[in-house]
Amino acid sequence: MQFFKSTNFNFIGNRKKAFVFSGILLLITVVSLIVNKGPNLSIDFVGGTVVQLKFENSIKDDIGQIRSVIDQLEYGSPEVKTIGKPEDNEIQITVKATESKGESVGDNIKKAVATNYPDNPFELRREEKVGPKIGGELQQKAVLAILLSLLAIVIYIGIRFHLPFGIAAIVALFHDVLITIGAFAFLNLIPNVDVELSLPVIAALLTIVGYSLNDTIVVFDRIRENMGGSVIKRNLEERINSSINQCLSRTIITSLTTFAVVLTVFIAFINSGAIIKDFSLALLVGVISGTYSSIYIASPILVLWNQKWTIK
Amino acid sequence: MKRNNAVSLLVIIAAVALSIWFLKDSFIFYSKPIAVRQEYQEEHPNIFKRIFNLGLDLQGGMRLVLEIDRSQLNKDEQKNVLDRAYTIIENRINALGVAEPTIQKQGKDRIIVELPGLKNEEAAKRVIGSTAQLEFKLVREPSELMRAIRIIDNVVSGKAGIDSLETDTAADTTAQEEVESREKARQLFEGGVEDTAAQDTTIAPETITSFRSLLVQIGEQIGVPEKNKAKVDKILDREDVQNALQRAGMGGSQFLWGHDIIDQGQIEVRPLYFVKSRPELKGDAISDASAILGQGGMNQGQPLVSLEMNRRGARVFSRVTAANTNKYLAIVLDSTVYSAPVIRQKITQGRAQIEGSFTMEEAKNLAVVLQAGALPAPVDIIEERTIGPSLGQDSIRTGALAFIIGFALVVVFMGIYYKLSGVIADIALILNLLFVMAVMAGINATLTLPGIAGLILIIGMAVDANVIIFERIREELAVGKTVRSAVNAGYGRAFLTIMDANITTLITAFILLWIGTGPIKGFAITLIFGIIASLFTALFVTKVIFNIIVGSRKVTKLSI
């Protein structure tokens, strides 16, 4: 079985369309981020308390009331939402506070809910508290991690290939990371959907960086091979295009298998409150974007670079 | 060639055998129902060192990040503060009796505690995070208390400027006047209970014009109805109030809440103590602590904590008690007064008791904390993550299901798309998973929920190396090469590409490992082993299988 025998799609010739398409996506990213007032950061980064409770009986009609119970504790504007299927009777309460007068906010929330619902006992599913200081540190660490891995990669590719390859790869990676963050911001604008940038999502972003790079390098390697090591001034565009076509079968198959398994995880966890849902969503967006960017971003940049400075 | 194949095959078989041996214990342990595992674990105390563990997000449990508050330490006390805190926390956790806890130091002043499968997380939090700053502080004379109340009252009613002068002179008043003022204060309190009870609970703090009106008298001491507690806290925290007390020469004193609530008729009152800030004696004077049942008197049958002091402690205690007979000595734990007995006589043997309305378990926990010693400095819980056991089990179930479906999808697809060669890639995939799990068991690594996701992701990505190779082989076959040379060329040309692609992924995985904590670390570890194992299986194992197929007979067609 073979999806593509020998293809000759004009990928590079369509680069302008691709740049416009990416430009629109990035514009949506920026607009979504502005409307959303920045990325929706989880308590991992801004500090706060999350309490996830599973009730014995239905709480379907009580969400508003639970919210007002939490409101009375005066921990800023609380966020109360149901998790999973309605029959799970599960809710998640998020507040920005972690401590008040030396008492744990999480304990106070549990106490307040228990007092107001004496006939509907609950079980603690998850409770997380991140102090504001540690949240700030984690924020710095996450940004540092992404920048560091990009730097390490540019150095590695710069040594193994040429600097322009490294830079083209990095631009593609930035593209993928931004699109994924943008997708999160965009999804947040849809009512009843909420996704957050949490630590696992940052892990997913780094994995996307690795995956997208994997994809880019396979194409780059083919380009290098087809350049034959000699000084190429002419026909680079054509050669890059045929390199992408030669790798197309592999690109599609690997993307398919990876996409399929990530989709499985996403569907499996979409209804659970687990953070893994956002994690696999990020991977899902990243796999698509990573595949696209190695064809339509990284490779065309090599062409652009060559037009200006000539890649040796 | 043939001999080479035999050696390679032996290497693979040995690796598989070794992996199975490493995984044996994990398989035995995790195939048991959860209820039986505890028992098995007791029979095989070293089991946890031979299996891969489940992260807190999968088995439930609590993770705490504690940070030492160095603000109150002088330079000398700063030394080894982390090591000392670590030892004490370790002792406390051991006394708690949690199976397989992990305690790690992080950076200069952090300690990470992980308690898997914990049932009573609140008690554990109290015991671990409790600073256990046991202190013995002298309670201020009632006259001084009254003066402090007057000063605060003046600040609250907005007459601070004038009255702080008045109170300054008041500091020089004779004993006669003090007695008078005490008498006046007492009169003011008369009926205070009813007054406060009648008060509207919803008044905003800024409308409070009198501090006194929030208090009630308990003997010579004062207390605060529970509903007024927050308001009193707000007033006492006010900067102008603090400054006024400072100016009046009371900077060395402080207000501390009592631990027990006193039931005064209709309302619950919490005592408020006015004590000297500087402790007479600290927790390091304690050599032993135990929970006992009170003997005789009011404490008959009531759990309390009995303290025994070391020699230095006993000496200081004897001096303090001798110098302060008939005064009250507050026993303060973590800034809460547990009891404030009156000193009747000099106590030389270095024994004391902490009374309070404890349950036996509370008294025991308190004794554990005191016995392990006081932390050298207060610690704050800056991060806390608790996963209930039921959520953990749900996650495992969902994760396993996703894993099986994802795995099946890839295996079936590869078989259909590349036929026999796809099956060879599938064998490599299965071995890949086997090796990853074996390494994880071998190094005692922890499998987390993101780790499971990582494994699933590896399944999707691990076939990539074989896809690259197979596509190459197809290309070579398409230009008319023989099967053997097509296979060799495919592997040869794909090798560098595969290495480059995987090394860059490894770089990001190592950065993840470096910055990540908890589940993220688990994900990074899984990813790293997955990549290394997939390099071995996709490049080496499949090559050996191909060699055997291609080399054994004259093959003219390859199923790919």
Side-chain angles (χ1 to χ4, degrees):
Chain A
M1 191 167 147
Q2 203 162 352
F3 289 155
F4 305 103
K5 276 248 149 63
S6 58
T7 56
N8 197 13
F9 296 113
N10 190 4
F11 293 110
I12 297 296
N14 285 321
R15 62 173 180 266
K16 289 215 172 92
K17 283 180 204 160
F19 286 161
V20 170
F21 178 66
S22 286
I24 292 170
L25 285 185
L26 290 174
L27 191 71
I28 294 174
T29 295
V30 172
V31 171
S32 304
L33 280 172
I34 291 171
V35 177
N36 203 39
K37 297 191 184 85
N40 199 17
L41 298 175
S42 80
I43 64 153
D44 286 348
F45 298 115
V46 291
T49 305
V50 172
V51 180
Q52 191 178 326
L53 307 172
K54 190 181 171 79
F55 289 85
E56 212 152 87
N57 309 316
S58 174
I59 35 107
K60 205 167 68 240
D61 310 318
D62 297 332
I63 293 300
Q65 210 193 324
I66 292 174
R67 187 172 292 125
S68 72
V69 166
I70 307 300
D71 242 336
Q72 277 165 19
L73 295 172
E74 293 181 16
Y75 294 143
S77 50
E79 183 199 298
V80 182
K81 62 175 183 191
T82 49
I83 279 185
K85 296 175 235 105
E87 62 267 27
D88 287 342
N89 304 328
E90 201 161 343
I91 60 161
Q92 180 179 305
I93 301 163
T94 312
V95 293
K96 290 280 178 282
T98 52
E99 207 135 329
S100 98
K101 296 263 167 248
E103 282 177 65
S104 148
V105 165
D107 292 347
N108 285 347
I109 289 175
K110 282 180 280 178
K111 227 180 288 167
V113 174
T115 329
N116 281 278
Y117 290 88
D119 303 328
N120 195 355
F122 58 78
E123 166 197 351
L124 178 71
R125 295 275 273 178
R126 181 166 71 100
E127 182 181 343
E128 302 196 349
K129 164 192 137 179
V130 181
K133 188 175 148 204
I134 210 166
E137 281 174 32
L138 290 177
Q139 220 172 71
Q140 279 178 1
K141 256 184 160 182
V143 172
L144 183 74
I146 292 183
L147 292 181
L148 258 182
S149 50
L150 292 179
L151 181 73
I153 285 158
V154 95
I155 292 172
Y156 181 83
I157 302 182
I159 293 170
R160 291 283 297 129
F161 295 80
H162 279 296
L163 186 64
F165 285 84
I167 293 183
I170 292 299
V171 174
L173 296 183
F174 261 111
H175 172 271
D176 300 335
V177 170
L178 285 178
I179 297 271
T180 311
I181 292 174
F184 271 55
F186 180 75
L187 286 173
N188 253 330
L189 301 179
I190 302 169
N192 295 327
V193 175
D194 80 316
V195 284
E196 287 180 329
L197 287 196
S198 57
L199 267 185
V201 173
I202 297 299
L205 285 180
L206 279 173
T207 313
I208 290 167
V209 167
Y211 176 81
S212 164
L213 199 66
N214 202 313
D215 223 45
T216 306
I217 282 182
V218 174
V219 176
F220 279 7
D221 211 58
R222 201 58 178 246
I223 294 172
R224 186 174 58 175
E225 189 186 326
N226 289 342
M227 278 164 69
S230 63
V231 180
I232 301 293
K233 289 185 182 169
R234 282 161 292 135
N235 288 341
L236 184 79
E237 194 175 322
E238 208 174 283
R239 282 172 199 244
I240 289 181
N241 204 49
S242 59
S243 302
I244 299 174
N245 274 296
Q246 285 162 18
C247 294
L248 191 63
S249 217
R250 173 265 157 198
T251 304
I252 300 294
I253 289 165
T254 301
S255 300
L256 265 184
T257 54
T258 313
F259 185 82
V261 293
V262 174
L263 187 67
T264 317
V265 182
F266 179 67
I267 292 172
F269 283 97
I270 192 166
N271 262 326
S272 81
I275 308 126
I276 201 86
K277 176 199 72 180
D278 293 354
F279 171 86
S280 48
L281 177 68
L283 285 178
L284 216 49
V285 177
V287 168
I288 299 170
S289 178
T291 308
Y292 162 84
S293 73
S294 46
I295 295 174
Y296 280 109
I297 302 290
S299 302
I301 284 175
L302 283 183
V303 175
L304 291 186
W305 185 288
N306 189 58
Q307 282 170 355
K308 266 210 139 142
W309 295 292
T310 307
I311 300 170
K312 285 186 197 140
Chain B
M1 192 70 189
K2 272 203 163 158
R3 183 169 297 166
N4 264 346
N5 280 341
V7 173
S8 304
L9 212 55
L10 269 179
V11 168
I12 296 169
I13 291 169
V16 171
L18 198 66
S19 298
I20 292 173
W21 187 77
F22 268 126
L23 275 174
K24 184 194 65 188
D25 286 323
S26 303
F27 181 77
I28 293 173
F29 185 73
Y30 288 116
S31 59
K32 288 188 188 308
I34 291 170
V36 190
R37 283 183 200 167
Q38 178 87 26
E39 219 172 280
Y40 187 81
Q41 174 197 330
E42 276 157 19
E43 284 166 34
H44 304 79
N46 282 326
I47 184 77
F48 282 116
K49 297 200 172 63
R50 297 199 306 267
I51 61 176
F52 62 84
N53 295 307
L54 296 183
L56 292 184
D57 55 346
L58 292 179
Q59 60 170 317
M62 183 166 64
R63 178 191 141 87
L64 298 172
V65 180
L66 308 163
E67 188 176 68
I68 295 166
D69 176 7
R70 289 172 183 264
S71 61
Q72 283 160 31
L73 299 180
N74 63 39
K75 225 175 165 193
D76 233 23
E77 292 171 316
Q78 301 248 358
K79 258 195 272 164
N80 303 328
V81 66
L82 180 64
D83 289 325
R84 281 187 288 152
Y86 176 86
T87 313
I88 286 159
I89 286 172
E90 195 180 25
N91 287 340
R92 289 184 187 176
I93 289 170
N94 289 340
L96 267 178
V98 181
E100 289 302 295
T102 53
I103 311 157
Q104 292 169 286
K105 284 178 249 182
Q106 187 198 46
K108 286 209 313 273
D109 41 29
R110 286 191 187 156
I111 296 169
I112 299 175
V113 177
E114 292 190 345
L115 306 171
L118 192 72
K119 296 272 159 22
N120 190 350
E121 85 270 0
E122 271 176 49
K125 214 160 66 186
R126 266 202 305 276
V127 170
I128 296 162
S130 152
T131 47
Q133 289 290 11
L134 179 68
E135 293 162 323
F136 294 88
K137 292 181 171 182
L138 278 174
V139 178
R140 287 293 195 186
E141 294 287 302
S143 59
E144 286 168 304
L145 170 65
M146 290 313 147
R147 229 186 94 214
I149 292 176
R150 222 169 37 232
I151 293 168
I152 296 170
D153 243 349
N154 286 339
V155 176
V156 170
S157 57
K159 298 183 291 183
I162 318 151
D163 289 74
S164 65
L165 284 175
E166 253 176 51
T167 48
D168 269 350
T169 46
D172 302 323
T173 48
T174 59
Q176 169 70 31
E177 282 175 72
E178 261 188 48
V179 172
E180 269 180 28
S181 71
R182 196 196 300 187
E183 213 38 56
K184 259 191 230 159
R186 194 162 282 177
Q187 282 164 10
L188 265 168
F189 274 123
E190 241 137 65
V193 174
E194 270 165 43
D195 276 356
T196 45
Q199 214 153 33
D200 183 5
T201 51
T202 56
I203 49 165
E206 46 283 0
T207 62
I208 296 169
T209 49
S210 159
F211 178 56
R212 207 168 299 216
S213 65
L214 298 172
L215 312 174
V216 292
Q217 180 106 16
I218 313 169
E220 278 195 303
Q221 300 296 328
I222 54 167
V224 177
E226 271 296 285
K227 62 185 168 66
N228 290 343
K229 188 170 171 275
K231 286 177 215 149
V232 169
D233 262 331
K234 272 198 178 119
I235 291 175
L236 292 178
D237 281 350
R238 273 166 62 167
E239 215 168 296
D240 51 354
V241 168
Q242 293 290 333
N243 288 341
L245 288 173
Q246 195 96 37
R247 277 199 304 278
M250 289 178 155
S253 304
Q254 63 183 151
F255 281 97
L256 291 179
W257 291 108
H259 171 260
D260 297 331
I261 294 169
I262 297 165
D263 202 358
Q264 278 215 348
Q266 308 245 304
I267 56 163
E268 292 180 326
V269 177
R270 193 182 284 274
L272 185 64
Y273 294 90
F274 192 51
V275 299
K276 264 168 99 167
S277 305
R278 190 139 71 100
E280 305 302 315
L281 204 60
K282 278 196 185 178
D284 56 3
I286 304 300
S287 65
D288 197 17
S290 51
I292 56 165
L293 285 176
Q295 303 290 320
M298 276 189 21
N299 296 317
Q300 178 70 44
Q302 167 74 30
L304 41 86
V305 180
S306 163
L307 302 174
E308 213 156 297
M309 292 175 202
N310 56 29
R311 266 178 50 202
R312 195 189 61 85
R315 210 164 52 232
V316 178
F317 198 60
S318 135
R319 200 182 60 229
V320 169
T321 48
N324 295 291
T325 322
N326 289 328
K327 288 187 185 165
Y328 291 91
L329 188 65
I331 299 172
V332 185
L333 190 73
D334 293 342
S335 300
T336 303
V337 177
Y338 275 74
S339 45
V342 67
I343 302 167
R344 303 223 182 279
Q345 63 203 32
K346 178 173 163 180
I347 300 167
T348 51
Q349 325 88 303
R351 278 176 194 279
Q353 279 176 350
I354 306 179
E355 298 156 7
S357 48
F358 307 124
T359 64
M360 196 60 197
E361 193 174 339
E362 279 172 331
K364 269 184 190 152
N365 281 343
L366 201 56
V368 162
V369 169
L370 291 171
Q371 205 168 18
L375 290 167
V379 293
D380 301 321
I381 299 177
I382 54 170
E383 191 185 325
E384 176 196 334
R385 296 180 195 263
T386 308
I387 302 286
S390 69
L391 183 61
Q393 274 165 42
D394 285 358
S395 294
I396 291 182
R397 208 176 304 125
T398 319
L401 185 69
F403 181 86
I404 291 166
I405 294 173
F407 188 75
L409 276 176
V410 173
V411 166
V412 170
F413 174 80
M414 288 298 281
I416 292 173
Y417 198 78
Y418 291 116
K419 301 192 209 79
L420 177 65
S421 300
V423 175
I424 295 173
D426 286 340
I427 294 171
L429 192 60
I430 293 165
L431 291 188
N432 182 3
L433 281 176
L434 180 74
F435 293 154
V436 175
M437 296 309 291
V439 172
M440 290 189 67
I443 65 160
N444 214 342
T446 301
L447 185 66
T448 61
L449 187 53
I452 293 182
L455 274 180
I456 301 173
L457 185 69
I458 286 167
I459 295 171
M461 288 174 71
V463 292
D464 181 51
N466 280 128
V467 171
I468 293 174
I469 295 166
F470 292 171
E471 288 300 315
R472 269 295 177 154
I473 294 176
R474 278 181 172 181
E475 276 178 52
E476 303 290 334
L477 288 173
V479 295
K481 284 199 181 172
T482 63
V483 168
R484 183 185 289 186
S485 64
V487 167
N488 283 336
Y491 274 91
R493 296 195 152 182
F495 182 78
L496 273 184
T497 308
I498 293 168
M499 288 309 279
D500 278 336
N502 283 291
I503 286 171
T504 43
T505 314
L506 268 184
I507 292 175
T508 54
F510 272 109
I511 289 172
L512 262 183
L513 181 67
W514 173 57
I515 62 137
T517 53
I520 307 287
K521 248 196 173 95
F523 171 68
I525 289 172
T526 321
L527 201 57
I528 289 169
F529 290 132
I531 292 166
I532 296 171
S534 88
L535 284 178
F536 176 72
T537 53
L539 289 174
F540 183 73
V541 175
T542 59
K543 183 77 199 295
V544 171
I545 300 176
F546 269 115
N547 278 346
I548 292 168
I549 293 172
V550 176
S552 59
R553 52 208 142 92
K554 269 263 167 269
V555 189
T556 50
K557 222 172 162 286
L558 184 66
S559 170
I560 192 162

